[in-house]
Amino acid sequence: MKIAIEGCCHGELDRIYETIQQIETSQQIKIDLLLICGDFQSVRNEHDLQSMAVPPKYRSMQDFWKYYSSEKTAPVLTIFIGGNHEASDFLIELPYGGWVAPNIYYMGYANVVNYNGLRIGGLSGIYKYHDYNSGRFELPPFDEKTSRSIYHIRSLDVFRLKQLQAGQIDIMLSHDWPRGIVWYGNTQRLLQRKPHFQQDIYSNQLGSEPSEEILLQIQPKHWFSAHLHVKFAAVVEHTNGQTTRFLALDKCLPNRDFLQVKYQHISSFFIEFNV
């Protein structure tokens, strides 16, 4: 099995699928599955743009509408979670996940799916303490507040994921990083690339506290994230001997580390591709 992992999508489906096809041609392989770690931007029409919590200059139709309308079809099964730049008018209709277009599946607020024997967990959105214990009160049309609170994770979603047994999840997807993950990788190299992270790292504010709780409790074999627009790898050795391999990837732009392919049933062997 060959799985492609993508960081932040930002609506660049054409570029991502073209990159996958280039990899398949050059390596003479077939990629079975694409996982996208948020900021998917499933914009169907101009109305959906208004539900995205981004400045107007960043509101663009991008590529998803072509796949939604069946003008194009995703060439590889695509599974994604939500981030903090999403077309919430659409995704609010699928709180427990569902198909958003042929061959493209959204995991909802929190979910686990099984693909060819792999158990894949997903947590959409980012953590903000002031909404964490709230219910889901948002409804369209969204205002300035609800267009942001809609993508804040809730304690109920985290509670559901924490019912999973340790070691039984092969892959976990989240948009923001688990808090403290920076200490399990090359922290100094990360700071060289992102020096403005220093204050958050040393005050233990970089990343999501609920995701840290999920990481330590369910101990997935692999955890993939995006959000901070930098590639970062880490290995977490849990106290019971289990290991979680963490990887964050960049957003889809030229010469960025936005895509990585994993081989052999999620083994430790990686092949990297940058465009």
Side-chain angles (χ1 to χ4, degrees):
M1 188 187 309
K2 301 169 184 68
I3 300 175
I5 318 299
E6 160 66 33
C8 293
C9 175
H10 290 292
E12 297 281 359
L13 284 176
D14 287 351
R15 182 192 296 272
I16 293 167
Y17 291 138
E18 287 166 7
T19 302
I20 286 175
Q21 290 172 338
Q22 290 169 11
I23 293 169
E24 290 178 328
T25 300
S26 64
Q27 301 295 315
Q28 296 185 334
I29 62 172
K30 176 61 180 175
I31 292 173
D32 303 290
L33 177 66
L34 169 64
L35 301 176
I36 297 179
C37 299
D39 287 352
F40 183 80
Q41 297 185 5
S42 51
V43 177
R44 300 165 295 181
N45 48 51
E46 292 186 358
H47 178 77
D48 282 345
L49 288 175
Q50 306 309 311
S51 67
M52 287 178 55
V54 297
K57 67 178 180 179
Y58 294 118
R59 289 175 180 164
S60 172
M61 287 293 295
Q62 299 298 86
D63 302 329
F64 173 75
W65 65 271
K66 301 175 225 178
Y67 298 88
Y68 179 78
S69 66
S70 297
E71 178 179 319
K72 291 186 174 183
T73 301
V76 58
L77 175 61
T78 302
I79 297 175
F80 74 97
I81 58 168
N84 59 314
H85 298 301
E86 301 294 355
S88 297
D89 268 350
F90 187 12
L91 297 189
I92 196 173
E93 299 174 9
L94 299 167
Y96 301 107
W99 298 99
V100 298
N103 227 22
I104 303 178
Y105 187 85
Y106 167 55
M107 292 193 70
Y109 294 134
N111 210 339
V112 176
V113 297
N114 188 307
Y115 172 75
N116 201 18
L118 287 177
R119 295 190 77 198
I120 303 169
L123 178 65
S124 292
I126 62 172
Y127 171 61
K128 293 293 182 181
Y129 72 92
H130 49 79
D131 285 321
Y132 184 58
N133 290 311
S134 299
R136 291 284 180 188
F137 58 86
E138 300 88 356
L139 290 172
F142 301 106
D143 57 25
E144 185 71 15
K145 178 182 177 182
T146 57
S147 65
R148 287 171 169 77
S149 63
I150 184 77
Y151 59 71
H152 295 161
I153 65 172
R154 301 305 208 265
S155 57
L156 177 60
D157 303 323
V158 174
F159 173 81
R160 290 170 58 208
L161 289 171
K162 288 168 70 174
Q163 306 314 300
L164 298 166
Q165 296 297 311
Q168 293 188 355
I169 294 296
D170 297 294
I171 299 173
M172 183 69 197
L173 306 177
S174 68
H175 190 57
D176 49 4
W177 302 11
R179 188 183 67 173
I181 197 68
V182 294
W183 300 114
Y184 295 92
N186 192 335
T187 311
Q188 293 308 310
R189 171 61 178 153
L190 176 62
L191 283 169
Q192 288 173 3
R193 300 186 66 184
K194 298 283 188 177
H196 60 283
F197 285 1
Q198 181 167 338
Q199 182 176 347
D200 283 345
I201 287 175
Y202 286 103
S203 62
N204 202 29
Q205 297 299 309
L206 189 78
S208 163
E209 181 179 354
S211 289
E212 179 187 23
E213 295 173 3
I214 295 171
L215 168 65
L216 297 178
Q217 181 158 330
I218 73 171
Q219 303 172 9
K221 296 179 179 67
H222 289 263
W223 190 303
F224 300 115
S225 296
H227 190 44
L228 297 182
H229 297 169
V230 63
K231 182 179 180 181
F232 179 76
V235 178
V236 181
E237 299 284 353
H238 299 285
T239 56
N240 62 355
Q242 297 276 1
T243 299
T244 299
R245 296 182 180 275
F246 173 83
L247 179 67
L249 292 167
D250 208 332
K251 61 181 175 180
C252 183
L253 285 174
N255 301 311
R256 299 287 192 97
D257 297 312
F258 67 83
L259 187 69
Q260 191 145 321
V261 177
K262 253 190 163 206
Y263 282 56
Q264 298 179 347
H265 292 278
I266 309 302
S267 71
S268 59
F269 176 56
F270 279 97
I271 292 184
E272 303 176 20
F273 301 93
N274 305 327
V275 178

